[in-house]
Amino acid sequence: MNLSELIHEFVLASIELGILLGSLGAVSLVNTVNSAFSLGLVFTCISLLYLVSNADFVAAAQSLVYVGAINVLTVFAVTITDEPTGSDAAACGVEYITASGACAILSSTLACAIRNTKWFGLSFINQSGIPTSGTPENNVRQLGYKLLGEFVVPFELASILLLVALVGAINLARDENALAADEKEKSAVSPPCENSSFF
């Protein structure tokens, strides 16, 4: 193993360590703003992992979409919403067991899929329908064909899933008792304008 391979292995190991520590911080930190910043660290490290793996287009897309848009939106959503005051429930409830079971099933499914995939010998099909083995000449074009061809439905479902998860996180972070108290204060301060012609 020469020096360049050692440097490459060290960079990969440090990026993977950043992904691991950032994901642990995103899940285990109590402060939601720090958790959102840990998620930003994970997205940035994944982008660097793509960059080290010579997938520069995917690294740029990861940086622009996830780090630049989704993480900023998550940080704004977390900082704008109120912190729930009545969230002192027991951590080992039915929801905790259900979520742990779902995570274990998903992790084992992903581990089996990764283990059973033949990573070497993947073939790509070019525009004329002729299969080519190895790395295609134009990665961006092949990625575009795959994303807008056979993977268009999973790609759109993943975007809808991310949107639903973001809306659910905002809904969970909101304190409904504080919203009800604010509505009572607003109705007590300003009487309703029933005779308004504008509304």
Side-chain angles (χ1 to χ4, degrees):
M1 194 179 270
N2 57 13
L3 184 63
S4 64
E5 289 178 356
L6 283 174
I7 292 173
H8 190 264
E9 291 293 324
F10 175 73
V11 169
L12 279 177
S14 60
I15 289 173
E16 290 167 359
L17 183 67
I19 292 172
L20 181 66
L21 291 177
S23 59
L24 286 175
V27 173
S28 63
L29 288 175
V30 176
N31 190 353
T32 53
V33 176
N34 292 337
S35 179
F37 283 127
S38 294
L39 187 65
L41 173 69
V42 171
F43 288 153
T44 306
C45 287
I46 289 173
S47 176
L48 290 174
L49 185 66
Y50 287 140
L51 192 64
V52 170
S53 301
N54 290 331
D56 50 354
F57 175 74
V58 182
Q62 171 81 16
S63 296
L64 288 175
V65 173
Y66 285 101
V67 178
I70 291 179
N71 196 46
V72 171
L73 181 65
T74 304
V75 168
F76 278 131
V78 164
T79 56
I80 288 173
T81 56
D82 293 330
E83 189 77 25
T85 56
S87 63
D88 295 333
C92 293
V94 175
E95 295 88 6
Y96 180 77
I97 295 171
T98 305
S100 298
C103 288
I105 290 171
L106 180 64
S107 297
S108 62
T109 304
L110 286 174
C112 288
I114 290 170
R115 185 173 184 196
N116 294 332
T117 301
K118 296 176 183 172
W119 296 102
F120 301 105
L122 292 174
S123 64
F124 296 94
I125 297 177
N126 57 13
Q127 193 173 14
S128 62
I130 301 170
T132 60
S133 63
T135 306
E137 294 177 7
N138 193 346
N139 290 334
V140 177
R141 181 175 290 164
Q142 291 292 331
L143 182 66
Y145 285 142
K146 291 288 185 182
L147 282 180
L148 296 176
E150 64 181 290
F151 294 118
V152 69
V153 174
F155 182 70
E156 293 299 324
L157 287 177
S159 65
I160 291 171
L161 179 68
L162 286 171
L163 179 65
V164 168
L166 184 63
V167 170
I170 291 171
N171 193 20
L172 287 176
R174 211 172 43 175
D175 186 13
E176 295 187 15
N177 294 333
L179 291 175
D182 287 342
E183 289 177 6
K184 287 180 184 179
E185 289 176 9
K186 287 180 184 177
S187 64
V189 171
S190 61
C193 300
E194 297 176 353
N195 297 329
S196 175
S197 61
F198 185 75
F199 296 95

